[in-house]
Amino acid sequence: MDVMTLASDQQTISVYLWSHGEYTTEPDGPSRLFIAHVDDFSFRRSASFRHPQRVYNVVPGDYTHDGRLDVLVMAQGASNQQLSLSIYTSMQSGGFCELFHTLSVLLSSKIG
């Protein structure tokens, strides 16, 4: 996963992968730093899904410990006083399964 976007509806999440194309490096003079050359710098959408509530945050991670990135979505819960946490697991064939687990947390305005 290289780029994730959230559409203007604040519910549609898209995942884009970098099409690596020709990627080479070469030494840059006496400093021995390397310069990267990319002939094809483009992204292709690999997955897109719509979450049922307004999304506040998206956190990719391997939550199922299977070597593939899953997606944790933090969204508005059933009321304005709740935060919903949902995990979308990655499928072996690509894309993401529908909701794996959802947890709602009651928000508090009191600190300390």
Side-chain angles (χ1 to χ4, degrees):
M1 172 181 336
D2 294 308
V3 175
M4 292 186 79
T5 62
L6 179 63
S8 60
D9 66 1
Q10 293 186 313
Q11 290 179 281
T12 304
I13 299 165
S14 296
V15 177
Y16 295 86
L17 299 177
W18 176 31
S19 297
H20 293 253
E22 237 358 86
Y23 184 82
T24 58
T25 60
E26 66 182 54
D28 180 28
S31 64
R32 299 207 193 290
L33 296 176
F34 285 84
I35 299 174
H37 298 281
V38 180
D39 293 336
D40 180 19
F41 192 77
S42 62
F43 291 88
R44 66 173 175 80
R45 184 167 55 185
S46 66
S48 185
F49 57 93
R50 184 175 166 89
H51 190 72
Q53 292 93 14
R54 181 179 173 202
V55 174
Y56 295 132
N57 197 8
V58 177
V59 184
D62 184 8
Y63 299 107
T64 57
H65 306 286
D66 62 0
R68 294 187 302 267
L69 283 178
D70 308 307
V71 178
L72 170 65
V73 175
M74 298 176 197
Q76 181 176 333
S79 75
N80 288 339
Q81 300 300 316
Q82 289 182 328
L83 178 66
S84 170
L85 305 173
S86 304
I87 294 178
Y88 288 83
T89 57
S90 61
M91 295 186 296
Q92 193 168 7
S93 60
F96 295 90
C97 293
E98 292 195 23
L99 292 178
F100 180 62
H101 287 294
T102 300
L103 170 70
S104 289
V105 178
L106 184 61
L107 301 176
S108 173
S109 59
K110 295 180 181 181
I111 299 176

